[in-house]
Structures are given as structure tokens and as C-alpha cells.
Amino acid sequence: MVNPITPDVVYDLVSASAPSLSPDGKRMIFVESWIDNGAAEARSQLQIMELGDGETRAFTSGPKDSFPAFSPNGKILAFLRPDKAGRIQIWLLDISGGEAHQLTDSPTSISEYAWSPNTAQIAYCSDVDPDQLSDDHDLKKDPRVSVVRRIRYRHDVSRWRGDAHQHIFVVGIADGSLRQMTSGDWDDS
């Protein structure tokens, strides 16, 4: 008799997603995801595959790396990773190796991004929240409540966003210069 499937099978599942092909067509970066049995939480790291021989190896150490994209010149890899506060930021890594460095320091998580054709900039989407508290705000000394002024229906599946709106920003690769490109009482993507 075959053994029934039990809930702990989730610890044996590994998925691959978000492939990004290098501009020269020789490499592919993708996200490998799994559930860490010890921590009981999702993990992900980037894997690189040499398309000539199919050899695959870990490219980042995770633990929650996602959405890789080669720069148009093929020399830099951008990807999303949480910062120390848990907000999703854009990180850069030289394709020849080394340590990743954080490009953005957005007060809210970044949801999507795209390279400029000349590799000089990245455009990204992030919430602009008029009620955003500073990182050093002490909720015990100054508690806050959420005031709902109106209910807006939208594709917001992750959390209540209050009066925040998603807008487009552009960040320079060389100097980290930042420009907010859109604003208003609507979402841009």
C-alpha cells in the first residue's frame, strides 16, 4: 500500500521561479524557494545556470532573495531582498561575484522594478504613505490608531495600506540619486 501524503511533505518541495536570461544568452538566474523545516518559514536564494552545460550553483545566500534581473549590459544583477527592518529593497551584485550591496533605502517595500536601457538607472514602484512613522518611533510612548477615511478596493492582497499610494521612483546606479516620478491620489505601476 502507498503511504498517504502528510502535511510535512511541504518541507520536501523546492520550486524554481522568476528566470532572468543574461543579454548574451549564456546564463540564466532564477529563484529557488523552499520551506526551512527548522525555522518553519519560507526561504529563497538565487541560482545561476550556465546554459552551455546546464551546471547550476547558488549565486546568493538568501535567505529571502527574489526577482533577479540582469542589467542590459550584462555586468550587474539586481534583485530584491529585505533590509534589516524587513522592507524589500533593491540590491546589486556584480555578475563576476563578490558581495551584494543595497541600492535603495525606501521607507516602504519595493514591489517591482526595471532597468533603464543604458544600465545607468532603475525605475521602481513603492508606496508613498502620508502616515509613515519613522523607524525610531516608539509606539509605547506614542501609540497610533488607524483612521479609515474611505475604503478603496484594489489588488492589495498583502496588508492594509491606509492612505498610501504606489508611485514610481528612479534611482541612479552610480550615485544613488533618487527622483520620485509620479504622485497623486492613485496608484502607478
Side-chain angles (χ1 to χ4, degrees), residues 31 41 47 59 64 68 77 86 106 111 157 166 175 182 187:
V31 178
E41 72 179 6
Q47 300 284 323
F59 197 66
K64 295 190 179 207
L77 184 77
S106 176
S111 60
V157 296
Q166 182 171 276
D175 61 3
T182 64
D187 290 315

Side-chain angles (χ1 to χ4, degrees), residues 24 26 58 83 112 165-166:
D24 64 8
K26 294 180 180 179
D83 62 12
E112 56 186 303
H165 288 285
Q166 182 171 276

